[in-house]
Amino acid sequence: MRIVFLGAPGVGKGTQADRIAAQFKIAKISTGDLLREAVRNQTELGREAKQYMDQGQLVPDAVVIGLVRVKLQEPASANGFVLDGFPRTVPQAEELGRVLQTAQRPLHRVVNFQVPREDVVRRLTGRRSCPKCQTTFHTEFAPSKTGNACDRCGETLVQRSDDTREAIETRLQVYEEQTAPLIQYYARKRLLSELDASGSVDAVFEALFGVLAPFSAI
Ligand code: AMP
């Protein structure tokens, strides 16, 4: 199963990608996660990417395309993959199309997650994560039992450096300008499924499962 999750920041793509990857035994390829890992490890790529990420801007296409190419070739992706946060621009989508066509592994579906803008801002500002084990929490919707420490490993939770109000505004604007055109792009290719992602994590997963299950035998 080869799928793409499309949608604004904060619509829950990452959370659902984790669950779908586990359910269908496919790889989750999240460019945001890969970039944050590079930032944590202070690699050259990470240092370059951080300037863009902290401001809520997109990292240059060539950088993210390079990361995804490597991941698609790994054995972990042989059984399929869910791309979370990639592609985010038309040139990225075109390059992805070329890479998958060459490998004779075309996409099966692109799911567009839809959530009202007010909810997106609420989801993003309350988001917290554990810097040690990467478990995610939400101050309102999925709070940690102890308040500010990770339920799993006890580490103090942190807020992503791009989950500030200012960066969130920029990210939503960047989404509208550069990523939203992909909805039409994939609709024209007859690959798009719309998903109401405004419900609970379980409700959205159930709806998503319904969309994707027909492709699981492929
Ligand atoms: P995310 O975790 O998907 O919200 O991504 C966090 C940040 O990483 C974004 O705001 C961008 O700066 C960068 N990023 C992630 N994926 C991409 C991509 N496909 N193209 C460009 N920048 C990206």
Side-chain angles (χ1 to χ4, degrees):
M1 185 196 278
R2 296 180 290 274
I3 48 181
V4 165
F5 283 177
L6 205 61
V11 293
K13 302 186 297 294
T15 302
Q16 296 296 339
D18 280 333
R19 293 183 69 162
I20 289 295
Q23 175 77 36
F24 295 108
K25 298 186 174 49
I26 57 178
K28 174 196 176 191
I29 304 177
S30 157
T31 42
D33 287 352
L34 292 170
L35 290 167
R36 277 185 290 279
E37 194 187 324
V39 171
R40 268 198 308 278
N41 295 334
Q42 299 185 6
T43 65
E44 199 177 318
L45 187 152
R47 273 195 288 271
E48 189 197 341
K50 187 171 168 37
Q51 309 161 27
Y52 297 96
M53 295 169 77
D54 282 350
Q55 288 172 27
Q57 299 287 352
L58 293 185
V59 173
D61 286 343
V63 174
V64 279
I65 289 167
L67 284 175
V68 172
R69 265 181 190 281
V70 171
K71 283 284 159 190
L72 288 175
Q73 281 163 7
E74 288 180 355
S77 306
N79 194 34
F81 53 79
V82 49
L83 283 166
D84 159 30
F86 180 93
R88 254 183 164 93
T89 64
V90 171
Q92 289 180 16
E94 287 172 341
E95 186 59 21
L96 175 67
R98 280 192 285 274
V99 170
L100 295 179
Q101 195 180 6
T102 307
Q104 296 185 311
R105 300 168 79 204
L107 289 175
H108 296 116
R109 258 317 68 194
V110 174
V111 181
N112 184 37
F113 286 55
Q114 292 180 310
V115 173
R117 190 188 161 103
E118 319 81 79
D119 295 2
V120 162
V121 174
R122 219 158 133 209
R123 285 186 187 191
L124 288 170
T125 47
R127 192 153 77 170
R128 300 288 182 275
S129 64
C130 173
K132 199 167 165 195
C133 72
Q134 318 307 328
T135 304
T136 52
F137 298 87
H138 193 283
T139 49
E140 206 178 330
F141 307 124
S144 97
K145 290 193 191 79
T146 49
N148 205 28
C150 177
D151 289 343
R152 231 171 168 190
C153 72
E155 191 75 18
T156 303
L157 301 180
V158 294
Q159 185 171 28
R160 261 171 59 166
S161 55
D162 59 351
D163 276 347
T164 58
R165 283 224 166 247
E166 208 179 22
I168 288 169
E169 280 303 319
T170 309
R171 286 158 67 203
L172 291 175
Q173 196 181 336
V174 165
Y175 166 78
E176 287 301 335
E177 287 168 9
Q178 302 196 51
T179 310
L182 293 180
I183 298 170
Q184 273 303 312
Y185 177 92
Y186 283 118
R188 267 189 241 114
K189 292 184 183 295
R190 307 210 174 282
L191 282 172
L192 194 77
S193 291
E194 295 287 0
L195 182 79
D196 174 0
S198 58
S200 68
V201 173
D202 285 343
V204 175
F205 179 74
E206 207 171 301
L208 191 54
F209 185 85
V211 171
L212 297 177
F215 302 97
S216 65
I218 294 171

